[in-house]
Amino acid sequence: MRSTSLTCKATNCVHNKNCDCMAGVINVKGIHAKNPSETTCNTFVVEGGYSFDNLSSMHNSEKTVPKAIKCSAGNCKYNEDGKCYADNVEIMAANACCGTFEEML
Ligand code: SF4
Ligand code: SF4
C-alpha cells in the first residue's frame, strides 16, 4: 500500500498535534476554488474558541489521512466525487486552506 499523509500547519486548531491532524475526518470546502487560498478546512476549530463547522466533533479521534477527507473543491485535480486522491495533503496556516490544491486543466 502507498504511504499517504496529511500535515497541517494550522497549529492554532484544537485538532492539531505537532502538525498532525487528530480530527479523524475533515471537511474541506472550496466549491468554486481556482487556487489553494480559496479552499479551507471547515473542521478547523480555533483553540478555546469558535469553529467554522459546528457539525464537527471537538474531540480528537485518530490521525486524519487524505482518504478521510471530504472535499467540495471539484476543480482540484485530486478530487473525485468529493473524495481526495492526493497521496500527501498539506493544510496551510493561512485560513487553513489546502496547499495541495491543483487546478484541473
Ligand atoms: S485545520 Fe483542519 S486539518 Fe488542520 S488540524 Fe484542524 S481540523 Fe485538522
Ligand atoms: S488536494 Fe484537492 S481534493 Fe484533496 S483536500 Fe486538497 S483541494 Fe481537496
Side-chain angles (χ1 to χ4, degrees):
M1 212 172 81
R2 282 179 313 178
S3 124
T4 71
S5 70
L6 180 148
T7 54
C8 178
K9 291 182 176 163
T11 51
N12 59 340
C13 173
V14 290
H15 298 299
N16 195 301
K17 295 281 173 304
N18 301 320
C19 295
D20 283 333
C21 171
M22 302 305 291
V25 174
I26 64 168
N27 280 296
V28 173
K29 301 279 175 187
I31 197 157
H32 302 299
K34 299 244 183 244
N35 57 61
S37 66
E38 292 171 352
T39 65
T40 192
C41 173
N42 218 45
T43 309
F44 175 92
V45 179
V46 77
E47 269 179 303
Y50 69 95
S51 59
F52 289 169
D53 172 4
N54 57 16
L55 297 173
S56 66
S57 157
M58 295 278 283
H59 300 290
N60 292 329
S61 50
E62 57 190 34
K63 198 155 139 176
T64 311
V65 292
K67 68 175 191 218
I69 299 174
K70 291 182 191 155
C71 180
S72 67
N75 295 329
C76 175
K77 72 177 192 185
Y78 299 113
N79 192 303
E80 207 177 307
D81 294 331
K83 292 190 184 142
C84 176
Y85 288 91
D87 285 345
N88 297 296
V89 170
E90 187 168 75
I91 303 295
M92 310 306 284
N95 205 31
C97 72
C98 178
T100 307
F101 176 97
E102 269 187 64
E103 192 177 4
M104 195 159 34
L105 296 173

